[in-house]
Amino acid sequence: MASMLSFSPPPLMKPMVSPILLSPSVGSIHLDKKLGHSVITHVATEPRVTVPVIPPIETARPDSTSKGKISAWTSVRQERWAGELAVEGKIPVWLDGTYLRNGPGLWNIDQHHFRHLFDGYATLVRASFKNGRVSAGHRQVESDAYKAARKNRRLSYREFSETPKPKNIISFVGELANLFTGSSLTDNANTGVIQLGDGRVLCLTETTKGSIQIDPNTLDTIGRFQYSDNLGGFIHSAHPIVTDSEFLTLLPDLVRPGYIVARMEPGSNERKIVGRVNCRGGPAPGWVHSFPVTENYVIVPEMPLRYCVRNLLQAEPTPLYKFEWHPESGSYMHVMCKASGKVVASVEVPPFVTFHFINAYEEKDKQGRVTAIIADCCEHNGDTSILDLLRLNNLRSSTGLDVLPDARVGRFRIPLDGYPIGDLDAALDPEEHGRGMDMCSINPAYLGKKYRYAYACGARRPCNFPNTLTKIDLVTKRAKNWHEDGAVPSEPFFVARPGAMKEDDGVVISIVSAKHGGGYALVLDASSFKEIARAKFPYGLPYGLHGCWVPRN
């Protein structure tokens, strides 16, 4: 391992010439044969493509790790690209705005390859829709971690499973000191992208310092988003709750185990404390990658997959990385009133493992009194193995074995009558979505309210990763699934049609890594869940995580 983290710069590369050759007639694009395929038919307008220079970090060749079969787990081949896409099908003319997707798209520094999906440097992808046409681009987010790796040609910050190798004992002691001050933690904002109520757009990860403002039109990195409060803490929820009127987040407290619920108003950089929840069990808070809210309450999950300082200090990752599994400590769901900050319920629930909550709402009796909270999540049946199975060597394998752990729509019922036990059951038969469930979205108008539909990634087995797009109907308990052989779709993101009256009146957008190295932005009709269009990129992009919609106005 020691020899892998020291590199000499590769020879300078010649500037890359654009592989796109434009046909003089609208309606066809021809790609250089080196790309191995061609894009054909039905472009909405004659494409214009720009290809800037290759980045200083040498990225992996598309066939170096995936044998040319799929681009999902291969490092993005250049730092940035922008151009117009060929469209097959018909994009609705009302779809007017930009879909942004963030994710870890660069998994190597020269010849050193990262181990885990979550380690990669952030790659931001844009697909802009107007008048049935699609322009697109991608660019690396210029975090300090990425810039230092590009400059030093080696890992310089602590990533999810990777730790910089110290040169000597003095630098090792210094690195530990930097860990406790937070300065050695990564700011690699490779998880999500959100638009605040004031219009600013941020890329986020779980470290607080990894909040980076970007320009949604150019994808330029504007700079670090500086929180102006003194709440402190090195980590926060990677998925805050964002509406036009507020920003809610959770800050785990590792010293006095618990969670701080904080709110930030549009136009402000100051988080203000709503309230605090003390942990009921375990040596540290449970991991809080995401959390749900209702109209009046914030739900704070306390998972038995808990933060572990000892594992954080280790140079080599454990199977649970920065966490430990403590089922004996209990699992809890806490309910906090948004207005008062008072905890109105803390109930014990069965052990659970989830990255992503879907939604929550208040259950009321005939008199309109709130009697319980219903909270839904993508739940992995209390199985922590999903973390280690997201190693890249597993994702890149093509053994044909069914190694993806089972998952379901886990539905919590949290009573508010003082009863100390809550329920956790499957909201529908997991076979409806192939016992795979993650990367979810809903119609944002139903955030915190009773809802019917959710969109997520499911599975067609055998598989080693979610490989379908799934529409869940929580009333009929059925699912509709989109699948293409060998493709890896990213999170399905719902965009409502302007003026829509029905919950599923709109489209679902996903960026797909195709089987033979290609890739495209897929547009599904959200109601029928049928494909209505796809816009092809000139080459496949790596798998990405989460996205947001930025309306043109």
Side-chain angles (χ1 to χ4, degrees), residues 357-403:
F357 279 86
I358 302 171
N359 197 22
Y361 60 90
E362 297 161 14
E363 191 174 71
K364 299 179 180 180
D365 62 17
K366 294 181 179 179
Q367 286 72 43
R369 294 172 297 191
V370 180
T371 58
I373 300 295
I374 304 298
D376 295 337
C377 68
C378 303
E379 205 277 307
H380 297 277
N381 294 299
D383 183 357
T384 62
S385 66
I386 182 63
L387 264 178
D388 206 42
L389 288 173
L390 294 178
R391 287 177 179 258
L392 288 166
N393 61 0
N394 176 63
L395 300 178
R396 289 167 176 157
S397 67
S398 55
T399 62
L401 298 178
D402 192 22
V403 295

Side-chain angles (χ1 to χ4, degrees), residues 118-130:
F118 298 158
D119 285 327
Y121 294 116
T123 302
L124 194 61
V125 180
R126 168 183 63 83
S128 297
F129 299 84
K130 185 177 182 179

Side-chain angles (χ1 to χ4, degrees), residues 15-16 74 98 173 188 213 219 229 243 268 271 328 348 374 395 410 419 425 437 447 465 467 531 538 550:
M16 183 177 181
T74 304
T98 296
V173 173
N188 177 23
Q213 187 177 353
L219 304 185
D229 53 71
T243 67
S268 172
R271 299 163 301 177
E328 76 288 346
E348 187 167 7
I374 304 298
L395 300 178
Y419 190 70
D425 296 298
M437 178 56 44
L447 175 68
F465 193 79
N467 58 3
E531 178 177 340
V550 180

Side-chain angles (χ1 to χ4, degrees), residues 93-129:
V93 293
W94 60 258
L95 191 62
D96 191 18
T98 296
Y99 171 68
L100 296 174
R101 191 199 71 178
N102 192 11
L106 179 62
W107 288 296
N108 68 291
I109 307 172
D110 294 346
Q111 298 307 307
H112 171 65
H113 294 266
F114 292 149
R115 290 173 282 203
H116 199 279
L117 170 64
F118 298 158
D119 285 327
Y121 294 116
T123 302
L124 194 61
V125 180
R126 168 183 63 83
S128 297
F129 299 84

